[in-house]
Amino acid sequence: MKVLIVDDERDVEMLFRQKFRKEIKKGSLELVFAFSGAEALTILGDTNPPSVMYMFSDINMPGMSGLELLSKVKDRFPKLKVSMISAYGDKENHDKAMNSGATGFFTKPIDFDTLKREIGILLN
Amino acid sequence: MNVEIIVAIILISYLRVSTLTYDVPERWKKPLKWGFFSALTIAVLDISTLLNSEISKVLSLFLVGGVIYVILRYEELHKGKQLVYAWLPLLLLSLLFEMIEYLFPAFFNRWDDYFTSIIFFAVVWGIAIWIINNKQRKTLEKEKIKALAREQEFKATEEMKIILEQQVAERTSALTAQKEELEKALSDLNATQAQLIHAEKMASLGELTAGIAHEIQNPLNFVNNFSEVSSELLDEMCDEIQKGDMDEVLALVEDIKLNMQKISHHGKRADAIVKGMLMHSRNNPEQKSLTDINALAEEYLRLSYHGLRAKDKSFNATFRIHLDPHLPQIEVVPQDMGRVFLNLINNAFYAVNERAKKSKEEGIDGYSPTVNLSTALYSDNGKGYLVITIGDNGLGIPESIKSKIFQPFFTTKPTGEGTGLGLSLSYDIIKAHGGGLEVISDHGLNPFAPEAHSEGDKQGTVFTITLPYENTTKL
């Protein structure tokens, strides 16, 4: 299963790859990274339908924000599951994300146990 | 009627009239009045022959004698003296001749002509003295009038002097009060200015806090995450060691090593931010130190961006950073330079955000708010310059206010949102560093416009900071 992670902080890639080391090794999970909303849209648009099954996106990014990306993705790929990750766990961001069709809302620092559980459900 | 009573009447009436040089003494007013009426009564009785001429003569003699006596005796009646001298010869001679006529009528008749002549001369003497006396008196009066006029003039001058002195004193005290008021106002203003500058510092720190929180939270998350994941990797490593898969163990060691580098990197990142924040808020005399302008500018760009994001959820903008990797470090006051970057970058984000709001209201699509930060090193005639530009494709500065933007307290922001000191302080800071701060704005001059958004739209503002670079040998 392919999961796309969007964050402008590049070290997120290394962190995720280590956290999901076992899953990646087993081949049950494939991680793809984008460092901006625009890059994410390019990756998603590469194949039709997109090979990515789940997208996690940071909200606070320069240029296209995570929420803009969410609504664009939901417009083009309504079936794709999208969860948001934000440093600001405020109600405004949460409600906006959920209203735009987000599956989940995670606050930074990311609770990897919950995230793993979420992905584990999908994997099964 | 006899000569004595006439002289008495003349003397008394003369004494009863005040002149400039003579005031009728208060205590003599009544006696003079009674004397006058008595003289008149005697004269009337004498004329009407109701009174024996001898008795009237004696009464007249007493009266005139009394009057002459008091005139000579009392200084306050000095006015009559001259008159006495005028008429005394006539009185004495007429008395003498009357006595001669009475005692030796034959002798008198024989020499009558001479006696009459002598009387005539006495009368002439009296009139002459009287005239001279009058003349003297008039001269005296004139002088007295002059003296009085002079005195009055002097008095008037004195009064004027007093009034003037009072006015001068009043003016002086008014001016002193005014001066004190002005001095107080000036010191109040100085105090207010110091407070305002401090307030501006604190306000920009306030703007920074949200950005700082975000900027610290991010590296802290990485520190936490990487240390957690490292301990997980260590658990795995133990398993692999027991299994004897040394390749996997080595791979894990490499990962852990990388993680440690990441932990150290993000720890330092947070550390630098905290140090920067402390420097920014510090109020003591700030010292120049060798500073990496690229790092400082980028740090404040991030702080500004995240600060604005934290404050206003709807805010978003793209920022592009073009830093000259060969930019040398230069001596600046880092916290001051940081404030300049923060002010200019905040303004840039504010301008693009305002334009974004306006575009949204007007239903214009395709506006992409963008802020550009770039640094470069230039040399000109053997002099080196660091050039830092902060450009935006925001609303731009209208021509009408362009000349005012560096003035203290000038702001286009709503009341309470801007202190109006940002650009003015930035200008002062750059000047203090021997550099320059210039602005190109509005429609058609933004060199970043084509790459920032669609062709043809060149609205925006570019601030250019020039800092001298002394060490030109490297150029």
Side-chain angles (χ1 to χ4, degrees), chain A residues 28-124:
Chain A
S28 61
L29 183 69
E30 191 187 338
L31 292 181
V32 196
F33 292 87
F35 303 105
S36 71
E39 204 183 321
L41 286 174
T42 318
I43 291 169
L44 290 174
D46 274 351
T47 53
N48 191 21
S51 52
V52 172
M53 282 184 70
Y54 203 143
M55 181 178 99
F56 291 91
S57 175
D58 184 21
I59 288 181
N60 197 10
M61 293 183 294
M64 192 191 296
S65 81
L67 289 172
E68 282 173 70
L69 176 65
L70 170 66
S71 57
K72 277 189 180 152
V73 166
K74 279 285 161 188
D75 271 357
R76 282 171 63 183
F77 318 105
K79 281 183 189 163
L80 183 70
K81 282 187 142 191
V82 181
S83 281
M84 306 309 291
I85 304 169
S86 174
Y88 310 112
D90 54 287
K91 202 174 177 303
E92 199 186 327
N93 267 335
H94 178 268
D95 290 354
K96 252 190 196 163
M98 295 324 258
N99 288 337
S100 305
T103 311
F105 190 93
F106 298 89
T107 52
K108 284 184 177 178
I110 307 164
D111 179 359
F112 278 95
D113 291 338
T114 323
L115 196 69
K116 269 188 173 170
R117 225 175 294 139
E118 174 92 16
I119 291 172
I121 291 165
L122 279 170
L123 286 175
N124 296 325

Side-chain angles (χ1 to χ4, degrees), chain B residues 215 292-305 319 321 323 341 345 373 375:
Chain B
E215 285 295 274
D292 180 351
I293 295 293
N294 279 345
L296 191 72
E298 192 176 346
E299 179 192 335
Y300 275 95
L301 175 69
R302 290 190 175 280
L303 288 177
S304 170
Y305 174 79
F319 55 77
I321 303 175
L323 302 177
F341 293 145
I345 294 165
L373 167 70
T375 58

Side-chain angles (χ1 to χ4, degrees), chain B residues 395-405 412 441-443 461:
Chain B
L395 281 175
I397 304 165
E399 206 59 45
S400 56
I401 61 163
K402 218 179 254 179
S403 60
K404 296 181 195 160
I405 58 167
T412 56
S441 186
D442 76 22
H443 323 289
T461 304

Side-chain angles (χ1 to χ4, degrees), chain B residues 149-423:
Chain B
R150 270 202 300 274
E151 202 178 314
Q152 247 165 359
E153 214 173 289
F154 180 71
K155 252 190 200 166
T157 318
E158 282 291 292
E159 270 167 30
M160 190 68 84
K161 205 175 128 194
I162 289 167
I163 289 168
L164 278 173
E165 268 169 9
Q166 255 175 359
Q167 279 179 345
V168 167
E170 274 167 24
R171 280 293 155 81
T172 310
S173 76
L175 279 173
T176 312
Q178 231 169 20
K179 187 186 141 244
E180 274 163 13
E181 237 169 76
L182 281 172
E183 272 173 357
K184 197 182 166 291
L186 183 69
S187 83
D188 282 357
L189 270 175
N190 277 336
T192 313
Q193 192 195 26
Q195 275 174 359
L196 274 169
I197 289 173
H198 187 65
E200 202 278 334
K201 225 175 186 179
M202 287 300 116
S204 64
L205 184 66
E207 280 166 15
L208 277 180
T209 38
I212 288 165
H214 182 269
E215 285 295 274
I216 294 174
Q217 190 61 53
N218 261 345
L220 271 182
N221 285 342
F222 278 117
V223 168
N224 289 333
N225 288 331
F226 277 116
S227 57
E228 272 167 33
V229 84
S230 296
S231 92
E232 284 169 28
L233 291 182
L234 283 171
D235 287 345
E236 258 182 65
M237 203 161 85
C238 281
D239 292 347
E240 296 300 334
I241 288 169
Q242 277 173 357
K243 277 192 227 160
D245 186 348
M246 287 321 280
D247 287 346
E248 192 59 31
V249 170
L250 282 175
L252 282 165
V253 168
E254 281 308 310
D255 276 355
I256 292 166
K257 259 167 86 182
L258 272 177
N259 285 0
M260 291 302 142
Q261 280 171 18
K262 290 288 168 199
I263 289 168
S264 156
H265 167 73
H266 288 287
K268 277 178 188 154
R269 200 175 134 194
D271 183 64
I273 289 159
V274 171
K275 282 209 177 97
M277 184 181 73
L278 288 177
M279 277 209 294
H280 187 88
S281 64
R282 220 176 286 156
N283 211 7
N284 54 9
E286 291 148 351
Q287 284 182 343
K288 281 189 178 180
S289 59
L290 211 55
T291 306
D292 180 351
I293 295 293
N294 279 345
L296 191 72
E298 192 176 346
E299 179 192 335
Y300 275 95
L301 175 69
R302 290 190 175 280
L303 288 177
S304 170
Y305 174 79
H306 289 299
L308 292 167
R309 278 287 287 165
K311 232 181 5 188
D312 178 2
K313 296 289 172 318
S314 68
F315 166 81
N316 201 7
T318 308
F319 55 77
R320 287 155 199 252
I321 303 175
H322 307 277
L323 302 177
D324 182 348
H326 305 299
L327 205 70
Q329 296 202 344
I330 55 166
E331 290 274 345
V332 295
V333 182
Q335 51 268 58
D336 279 355
M337 207 45 74
R339 288 171 72 193
V340 174
F341 293 145
L342 184 71
N343 278 322
L344 296 178
I345 294 165
N346 272 349
N347 283 351
F349 279 127
Y350 182 84
V352 295
N353 199 35
E354 289 299 302
R355 187 166 170 203
K357 279 190 211 162
K358 207 177 155 208
S359 302
K360 210 172 174 185
E361 274 169 25
E362 291 169 0
I364 299 166
D365 278 340
Y367 174 63
S368 151
T370 308
V371 170
N372 294 285
L373 167 70
S374 72
T375 58
L377 182 63
Y378 287 112
S379 66
D380 179 28
N381 285 332
K383 283 181 182 170
Y385 297 100
L386 264 70
V387 178
I388 304 113
T389 57
I390 291 149
D392 66 69
N393 63 346
L395 281 175
I397 304 165
E399 206 59 45
S400 56
I401 61 163
K402 218 179 254 179
S403 60
K404 296 181 195 160
I405 58 167
F406 292 115
Q407 284 174 12
F409 307 113
F410 179 79
T411 179
T412 56
K413 291 183 185 170
T415 315
E417 275 189 37
T419 58
L421 287 171
L423 278 180

